[in-house]
């Protein structure tokens, strides 16, 4: 329960996950290192999760849903990896402490990445509940509170192709 509020059931993400063909190696993200959006103090990380080089990556994320019968997907959220509370190193440590052995090539999913604005909420629960009800899917006339069978969800990452950054560590 400690990890759940406000961050979601992180420990459940190390099991029964499927992905699309794209996977980004950690090294490819290094040019996009940046300070996180907010300090890491609520909740304060347990000692084994405290990272003296706490940082984030500046990667825009656009999330769209295409329901059955829709001609195109409707954008439902725009967030950024800077909004992650737990950085990638902390997530790796937390996965292994729960008994999940990690090996080279294993997938590590971040889970929900929510911003502070309603259009940057990172889960269907936040988008429908915090935003005040059913989520319209563009001009299709369809709406959602949760994904339905046959829905297709897309997460599209993008970055500035020429980042100018000061490494944070």
């Amino acid at each position: 329960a400690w990890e759940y509020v406000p961050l979601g059931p992180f420990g459940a993400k190390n099991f029964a996950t499927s992905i699309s063909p794209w996977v980004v190696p950690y090294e490819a993200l290094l040019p996009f290192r940046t300070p996180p959006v907010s300090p890491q103090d609520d909740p304060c990380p347990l000692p084994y999760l405290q990272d003296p080089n706490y940082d984030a990556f500046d990667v825009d994320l656009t999330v769209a849903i295409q329901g059955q019968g829709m001609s195109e997907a409707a954008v439902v959220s725009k967030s950024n990896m800077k909004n992650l509370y737990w950085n990638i190193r902390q997530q790796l440590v937390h996965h292994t402490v729960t008994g999940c052995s990690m090996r080279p090539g294993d997938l590590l999913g971040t889970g929900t990445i929510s911003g502070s604005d309603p259009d940057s909420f990172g889960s269907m629960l936040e988008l429908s509940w915090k935003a005040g009800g059913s989520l319209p899917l563009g001009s299709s006339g369809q709406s959602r509170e949760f994904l339905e069978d046959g829905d297709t969800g897309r997460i599209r990452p993008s970055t500035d192709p020429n980042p100018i950054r000061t490494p944070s560590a």
Side-chain angles (χ1 to χ4, degrees):
W2 173 80
E3 70 179 17
Y4 184 71
V5 177
L7 307 168
F10 179 79
K13 292 177 179 68
N14 60 12
F15 148 132
T17 298
S18 64
I19 62 165
S20 72
W22 62 269
V23 174
V24 179
Y26 182 79
E27 291 77 16
L29 294 170
L30 293 177
F32 306 99
R33 289 175 75 181
T34 188
V37 169
S38 58
Q40 195 167 42
D41 58 6
D42 185 22
C44 184
L46 296 173
Y48 76 94
L49 289 172
Q50 293 175 7
D51 184 353
N53 299 315
Y54 182 60
D55 60 3
F57 296 107
D58 187 6
V59 177
D60 290 320
L61 302 166
T62 301
V63 181
I65 298 172
Q66 185 170 2
Q68 289 186 355
M70 292 175 60
S71 60
E72 60 185 40
V75 173
V76 296
S77 179
K78 292 184 178 185
S79 191
N80 189 295
M81 282 186 70
K82 291 186 288 191
N83 292 315
L84 276 173
Y85 188 80
W86 304 108
N87 70 27
I88 301 299
R89 291 179 304 274
Q90 291 169 311
Q91 291 177 42
L92 178 63
V93 167
H94 192 55
H95 266 307
T96 60
V97 97
T98 63
C100 178
S101 61
M102 300 295 290
R103 296 178 302 255
D106 282 353
L107 170 70
L108 182 64
T110 63
T112 305
I113 303 177
S114 296
S116 57
D117 298 323
D119 65 345
S120 66
F121 290 163
S123 72
M124 290 299 290
L125 179 62
E126 289 177 312
L127 287 165
S128 62
W129 174 56
K130 281 188 174 180
S134 194
L135 178 68
L137 298 182
S139 60
S140 70
Q142 295 188 38
S143 62
R144 298 286 186 276
E145 292 181 15
F146 298 96
L147 292 176
E148 295 181 1
D149 289 345
D151 284 352
T152 300
R154 294 187 181 100
I155 303 173
R156 297 198 188 270
S158 62
T159 58
D160 178 347
N162 300 304
I164 300 172
R165 302 266 188 261
T166 303
S168 58

